[in-house]
Amino acid sequence: MQREKIASFQVQGPSCRTSNAAEFNPLTGRIGPLWQEFAASGLGTDLSQVFGVYFDYADRHLGEYSVMAGVKRAEAPSAGERSVNIPAGEYLVFDCKGPMPGALIAGWGQVWAHFAQPDAPARAYGHDFERYLGLDHAQICIGLKA
């Protein structure tokens, strides 16, 4: 993992509200169906512009949060699309390589383990995101408190 200063950008696409507790149950998980909806929309033709955004945390990782499967865009959102602004700031970036979604799930395990350590930097719990760099390469970017 490495620290990276990231400039502000906008992501647009479908979103849902969920929690980690809901996602651990295949009957109540909403992130998988959200990505299926995104794939069916045809928005993600350029994988380098695809992002998964986590925002509107109710209680850090313990409560509900919103998730967006979207694309980086400069123009206004289309009808029915939501837009989220990723703020500029310092992020801790975790590299995930290998078959997806397994590599990404393992990456989130690394995120949770890292931030459980007493000397870990403080998470901002504002906007975190996954950025996709290829079919078998993604990065998880966790916003840090200033």
Side-chain angles (χ1 to χ4, degrees):
M1 86 197 91
Q2 73 272 358
R3 286 181 183 248
E4 183 179 333
K5 288 191 185 255
I6 296 176
S8 176
F9 63 97
Q10 193 155 309
V11 175
Q12 298 169 21
S15 64
C16 69
R17 191 105 177 124
T18 190
S19 67
N20 285 344
E23 293 306 313
F24 287 129
N25 180 341
L27 299 176
T28 59
R30 300 196 64 209
I31 295 175
L34 175 70
W35 279 103
Q36 290 170 352
E37 177 186 346
F38 174 78
S41 75
L43 287 172
T45 55
D46 180 359
L47 197 57
S48 69
Q49 297 298 308
V50 173
F51 291 82
V53 183
Y54 299 79
F55 59 103
D56 288 343
Y57 290 95
D59 182 19
R60 302 171 299 139
H61 63 283
L62 305 172
E64 288 190 342
Y65 52 89
S66 295
V67 183
M68 174 178 286
V71 293
K72 187 176 182 177
R73 288 207 181 142
E75 69 270 6
S78 302
E81 284 186 334
R82 184 172 182 184
S83 176
V84 173
N85 185 59
I86 307 299
E90 191 167 5
Y91 291 79
L92 198 56
V93 179
F94 295 78
D95 222 27
C96 307
K97 291 183 179 178
M100 299 294 168
L104 203 56
I105 292 168
W108 277 105
Q110 291 175 0
V111 168
W112 295 329
H114 179 77
F115 285 101
Q117 298 175 26
D119 60 341
R123 285 183 66 175
Y125 286 103
H127 293 78
D128 302 314
F129 60 92
E130 302 160 351
R131 62 180 168 199
Y132 294 86
L133 306 172
L135 292 175
D136 61 353
H137 189 194
Q139 293 178 323
I140 300 171
C141 304
I142 303 296
L144 301 177
K145 279 190 178 177

